[in-house]
Amino acid sequence: VNTYSITNVAGTPTSYALSGTLPSGITFNTSTGLLSGTPTEAKSAITFTVQAMNGAGSYTQTFTLTTLY
């Protein structure tokens, strides 16, 4: 698993939101913005969006994930 970070130019994000459907076995942490787990199904090119938020606003980044099972 590769790591990523989303930073907001107005400060550190305080929460995160995910739009899209992750493969079974993968979870998203709304406090840290991190994905974790072990996929239980193979999926190719799943696109999802992570939004990082704080009191100054929000920033959105789109990712593509491929899982092997």
Side-chain angles (χ1 to χ4, degrees), residues 14-31:
T14 55
S15 64
Y16 299 84
L18 181 128
S19 297
T21 303
L22 295 173
S24 297
I26 303 294
T27 59
F28 177 74
N29 185 313
T30 57
S31 296

Side-chain angles (χ1 to χ4, degrees), residues 5-64:
S5 64
I6 299 174
T7 56
N8 187 313
V9 293
T12 302
T14 55
S15 64
Y16 299 84
L18 181 128
S19 297
T21 303
L22 295 173
S24 297
I26 303 294
T27 59
F28 177 74
N29 185 313
T30 57
S31 296
T32 64
L34 296 177
L35 299 174
S36 62
T38 302
T40 58
E41 61 183 335
K43 293 284 185 175
S44 61
I46 297 169
T47 301
F48 62 97
T49 301
V50 175
Q51 182 179 28
M53 298 161 282
N54 68 15
S58 66
Y59 178 79
T60 302
Q61 180 67 50
T62 300
F63 296 91
T64 301

